[in-house]
């Protein structure tokens, strides 16, 4: 058995790195700023270091450090005693019709409105053989049933596996081409990714590999949210590299450990919806939203006749590494998450712009439970967030309110937004696209691993239009709401803030003004803490 001192040391180092503060036995993970995403990342490191297999779900049962440490000691002892054999994941079946998850059912409905495409842009550095790449991609789709499924209408929709699915993969060798040819090829590839899938007849997965030099490549493609979320994009790239390297060594990727299958989560979530737990969650949300008005909306700045015909437009901001570090220091000082800081600042701006003191906006929650962190599929679920600002007159009170709401979401992470439409006021009878007009999300999923001489870097909106040979254009995916705020962690330590908006309702200069006000509000929070602690 590993020594108790070593186990305690790894546990304490991991907790303190994740929470940004010293911990003792009474430190509560969630009260000191932890959330479901940071729990997944922390436990992934601990499990790798100790050979344990704790799932993030244990954090809800052992949220205090002392209880967690005892649980980790027992797990480490159990694992080394050989009494807990690993249970291999189920291998993909040759042909199967299965139930969809409640999250997938929502996206099946939205797909009919041409909503739900997920853009995929990666720069790859290192050698890639086109033939091996296509073979690896086919094997990855065989390994994950959710990447080779079509969907049949019904209540609920059914998922139909396509056992012999071969992904549509275009490869282009652009080495030696002049800059104009490369730019045209990249822009054409991005334009092709705008096409919408017919989920009843098409597997929603297309990818292009463009080789710019012997060691520089672009991956451009699109999937649909019925098959993936942001976290799963990382898992997809990791598994693609794993399979590619196996083929590169001349070995059979079928010998790799089977991948976990999304079908198990879908069945578990359906069982939840048929049991008593969903009624408990329903009662909770009825209490939270009792007396709430209609979803918060921004005042339109353009008349209906001014419609541009575009599906979306973007206003962008980068908080450079120094400003981003100040935001993270503020979060650490207040024992909250960076997400909490950024959302609180946005709520303050939104209240000033709309004149509303009881905000009802959208955010996204992680629906993954124990064992789901390595499963490719759609787990992220949108939920309305109610923030009555009269109850939060100070930043500290607002942070506490946001923290309470996010713990609510974590506790009821399997709860589907569709149940709000059927059971909870003021959402009953609304369409899926009309539950809220404004959505805020912080995409802090991990970057794909690197290795075997290749590095993968995910491109975001701020990479559009940069002075590169390929000149990646801005994405043209349709925004689901009137305003969608998406924040990314960048590899250089900066924070990228993107306001995607409906150009038929809002003038670009007005949206840019909201973005500037948001940046100023974030800076005010940070400066306030610097003044107190300086």
């Amino acid at each position: 058995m590993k020594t108790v001192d070593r186990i305690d040391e790894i546990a304490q180092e991991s907790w303190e790195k994740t929470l940004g503060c010293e911990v003792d036995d009474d430190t509560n993970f969630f009260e000191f700023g932890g959330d479901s995403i940071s729990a997944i990342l922390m436990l992934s490191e601990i499990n790798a270091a100790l050979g344990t297999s704790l799932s993030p779900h244990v954090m809800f049962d052992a949220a205090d450090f002392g209880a967690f440490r005892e649980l980790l000691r027992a797990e480490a002892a159990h694992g080394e005693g050989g009494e807990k054999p690993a249970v291999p994941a189920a291998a993909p079946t040759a042909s199967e019709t299965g139930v969809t998850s409640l999250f997938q059912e929502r996206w099946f409905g939205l797909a009919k409105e041409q909503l739900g495409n997920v853009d995929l842009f990666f720069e790859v550095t290192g050698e890639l053989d086109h033939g091996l790449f296509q073979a690896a991609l086919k094997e990855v789709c065989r390994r994950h049933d959710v990447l080779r499924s079509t969907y049949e209408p019904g209540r609920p929709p059914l998922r139909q596996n396509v056992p012999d699915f071969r992904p549509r993969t275009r490869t282009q060798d652009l080495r030696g081409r002049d800059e104009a040819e490369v730019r045209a090829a990249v822009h054409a590839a991005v334009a092709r990714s705008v096409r919408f899938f017919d989920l009843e007849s098409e597997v929603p997965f297309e990818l292009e590999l463009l080789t710019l030099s012997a060691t520089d490549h672009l991956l451009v493609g699109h999937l649909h949210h019925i098959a993936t979320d942001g976290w799963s994009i990382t898992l997809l790239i990791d598994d693609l590299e794993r399979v590619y390297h196996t083929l590169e060594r001349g070995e059979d990727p079928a010998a790799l450990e089977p991948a976990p299958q999304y079908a198990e989560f879908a069945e578990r979530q359906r069982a939840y919806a048929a049991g008593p737990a969903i009624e408990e969650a329903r009662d909770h949300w009825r209490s939270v939203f009792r007396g709430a008005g209609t979803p918060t909306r921004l005042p339109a700045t353009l008349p209906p006749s001014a419609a541009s015909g575009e599906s979306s437009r973007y206003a962008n901001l980068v908080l450079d590494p120094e400003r981003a570090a100040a935001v993270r220091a503020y979060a650490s000082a207040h024992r909250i998450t960076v997400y909490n800081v950024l959302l609180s600042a946005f709520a303050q701006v939104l209240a000033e712009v709309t004149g509303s003191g009881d905000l009802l906006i959208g955010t996204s929650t992680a629906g993954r439970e124990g064992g789901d962190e390595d499963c490719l599929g759609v787990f992220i679920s949108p939920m309305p967030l109610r923030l009555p600002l009269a109850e939060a007159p100070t930043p500290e009170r607002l942070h506490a309110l946001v923290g309470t709401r996010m713990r609510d979401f974590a506790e009821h992470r399997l709860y589907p937004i569709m149940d709000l439409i059927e059971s909870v006021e003021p959402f009953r009878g609304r369409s899926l696209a009309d539950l809220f007009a404004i959505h805020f999300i912080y995409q802090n999923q991990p970057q794909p691993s690197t290795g075997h001489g290749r590095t993968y870097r995910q491109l975001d909106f701020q990479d559009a239009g940069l002075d590169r040979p390929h000149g990646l254009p801005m994405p043209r995916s349709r925004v689901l709401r009137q305003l969608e705020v998406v924040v990314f962690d960048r590899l250089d330590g900066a924070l990228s803030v993107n306001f995607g908006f409906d150009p038929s309702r809002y003038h670009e200069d007005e949206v840019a003004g909201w973005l500037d006000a948001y940046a100023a509000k974030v800076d005010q929070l940070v400066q306030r803490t610097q003044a107190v602690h300086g």
Side-chain angles (χ1 to χ4, degrees):
M1 173 182 170
K2 295 180 176 66
T3 67
V4 169
D5 287 345
R6 176 62 175 156
I7 295 169
D8 289 354
E9 178 186 354
I10 289 174
Q12 186 155 355
E13 287 178 355
S14 298
W15 273 60
E16 291 183 348
K17 182 177 72 171
T18 300
L19 300 179
C21 64
E22 294 183 359
V23 301
D24 56 32
D25 282 356
D26 295 327
T27 301
N28 184 282
F29 185 79
F30 298 104
E31 290 179 1
F32 279 68
D35 56 20
S36 58
I37 296 296
S38 57
I40 290 173
L41 295 173
M42 181 183 74
L43 283 169
S44 177
E45 293 183 358
I46 291 174
N47 288 334
L50 295 176
T52 50
S53 57
L54 287 177
S55 76
H57 186 60
V58 305
M59 297 304 299
F60 295 97
D61 300 320
D64 290 344
F65 178 69
F68 175 84
R69 187 179 57 185
E70 293 301 319
L71 188 68
L72 183 60
R73 288 177 183 175
E75 175 74 10
H78 206 166
E80 295 207 355
E83 301 174 9
K84 187 180 178 183
V87 178
T93 55
S95 179
E96 177 188 348
T97 297
V99 69
T100 53
S101 73
L102 296 162
F103 298 156
Q104 287 181 306
E105 183 174 352
R106 168 181 173 266
W107 281 114
F108 185 76
L110 289 172
K112 298 183 184 304
E113 301 177 43
Q114 295 192 334
L115 294 166
N117 269 16
V118 180
D119 297 315
L120 189 153
F121 301 126
F122 277 87
E123 285 184 334
V124 185
T125 303
E127 294 185 359
L128 277 178
D129 177 84
H130 286 190
L132 282 182
F133 178 84
Q134 289 180 316
L137 195 61
K138 181 181 179 183
E139 174 64 16
V140 167
C141 290
R142 187 198 68 81
R143 286 169 54 78
H144 301 273
D145 59 3
V146 77
L147 291 180
R148 51 185 174 85
S149 295
T150 58
Y151 300 86
E152 300 177 6
R155 293 237 352 144
L158 295 178
R159 175 186 48 81
Q160 177 67 55
N161 277 354
V162 181
D164 57 349
F165 172 65
R166 182 182 295 272
R168 288 184 290 268
T169 309
R170 182 192 296 259
T171 59
Q172 295 188 66
D173 190 343
L174 302 175
R175 288 177 291 185
R177 305 284 184 89
D178 62 38
E179 182 176 328
E181 289 180 293
V182 171
R183 182 179 296 268
V186 172
H187 282 230
V190 174
R192 281 189 288 272
S193 72
V194 177
R195 187 184 71 81
F196 291 98
F197 295 105
D198 178 357
L199 298 182
E200 296 180 30
S201 62
E202 294 182 280
V203 173
F205 185 19
E206 292 183 345
L207 195 63
E208 297 196 27
L209 171 63
L210 298 92
T211 293
L212 311 180
S213 72
T215 56
D216 294 296
H217 317 268
L218 275 179
L219 291 181
V220 178
H222 66 307
L223 297 87
H224 193 274
H225 262 309
I226 201 168
T228 189
D229 55 22
W231 186 280
S232 292
I233 294 294
T234 295
L235 300 179
L236 169 61
I237 296 298
D238 282 347
D239 207 38
L240 180 60
E241 169 60 28
R242 184 180 302 111
V243 172
Y244 182 93
H245 184 58
T246 300
L247 291 169
E248 192 176 39
R249 298 196 309 265
E251 299 173 4
D252 185 359
L256 291 172
E257 181 180 357
Q261 300 302 303
Y262 185 75
E264 190 277 335
F265 170 80
E267 293 172 359
R268 184 176 357 122
Q269 193 184 35
R270 289 288 174 184
Y272 158 86
I278 195 169
E279 184 61 38
E280 177 184 342
R282 191 179 294 140
D283 289 343
H284 173 78
W285 294 120
R286 283 172 177 162
S287 174
V288 168
F289 295 116
R290 186 172 294 120
T294 58
T296 303
R297 294 177 179 272
L298 289 159
T301 58
L302 291 175
S305 60
S308 67
E310 294 183 55
S311 60
S312 61
R313 197 175 293 175
Y314 299 89
N316 311 106
L317 165 75
V318 172
L319 298 176
D320 63 35
E322 182 178 355
R323 292 170 79 187
V327 171
R328 296 182 180 105
Y330 175 91
S332 177
H334 286 265
R335 297 176 177 175
I336 58 177
T337 62
V338 172
Y339 169 88
N340 191 319
V341 179
L342 299 174
L343 178 59
S344 296
F346 179 68
Q348 292 174 326
V349 172
L350 195 58
E352 293 173 0
V353 172
T354 64
S356 172
D358 191 358
L359 301 176
L360 199 59
I361 62 179
T363 190
S364 292
T365 64
R368 293 177 187 266
E369 293 194 303
D372 295 329
E373 59 268 23
D374 294 325
C375 185
L376 201 154
V378 55
F379 295 87
I380 295 295
S381 176
M383 281 291 290
L385 179 73
R386 186 182 186 185
L387 297 176
L389 298 189
E391 299 178 11
T394 66
E396 290 78 12
R397 294 281 295 277
L398 180 55
H399 296 326
L401 179 59
V402 170
T404 297
R405 293 288 184 260
M406 299 316 296
R407 286 192 291 274
D408 285 347
F409 290 142
E411 183 177 353
H412 301 290
R413 56 196 168 277
L414 292 182
Y415 182 75
I417 196 171
M418 292 182 298
D419 194 75
L420 289 173
I421 297 173
E422 299 176 357
S423 311
V424 180
E425 297 291 354
F427 309 105
R428 290 184 64 179
R430 290 184 176 272
S431 69
L432 286 169
D434 192 40
L435 283 178
F436 33 81
I438 303 165
H439 191 72
F440 185 97
I441 181 171
Y442 175 29
Q443 292 193 343
N444 62 338
Q445 67 262 19
Q447 291 290 326
S449 60
T450 60
H452 314 129
R454 282 174 291 276
T455 300
Y456 298 81
R457 189 175 82 85
Q458 188 167 9
L459 304 176
D460 68 30
F461 298 129
Q462 290 297 338
D463 293 290
L466 295 183
D467 187 20
R468 284 192 177 96
H470 54 71
L472 187 70
M474 291 294 276
R476 296 180 58 86
S477 296
R478 180 181 170 191
V479 291
L480 177 56
R481 290 104 191 174
Q482 294 171 4
L483 178 67
E484 296 183 358
V485 181
V486 183
V487 183
F488 296 87
D489 281 314
R490 291 174 60 85
L491 290 180
D492 61 2
L495 287 166
S496 175
V497 183
N498 309 279
F499 278 24
F501 63 96
D502 179 351
S504 70
R505 294 181 58 87
Y506 307 116
H507 193 279
E508 191 166 0
D509 290 343
E510 185 79 4
V511 176
W514 298 336
L515 188 60
D516 290 341
Y518 175 65
K521 191 66 69 175
V522 171
D523 287 340
Q524 286 173 17
L525 286 175
V526 170
Q527 291 162 4
R528 182 174 181 273
T529 291
Q530 289 174 338
V532 171
H533 296 277

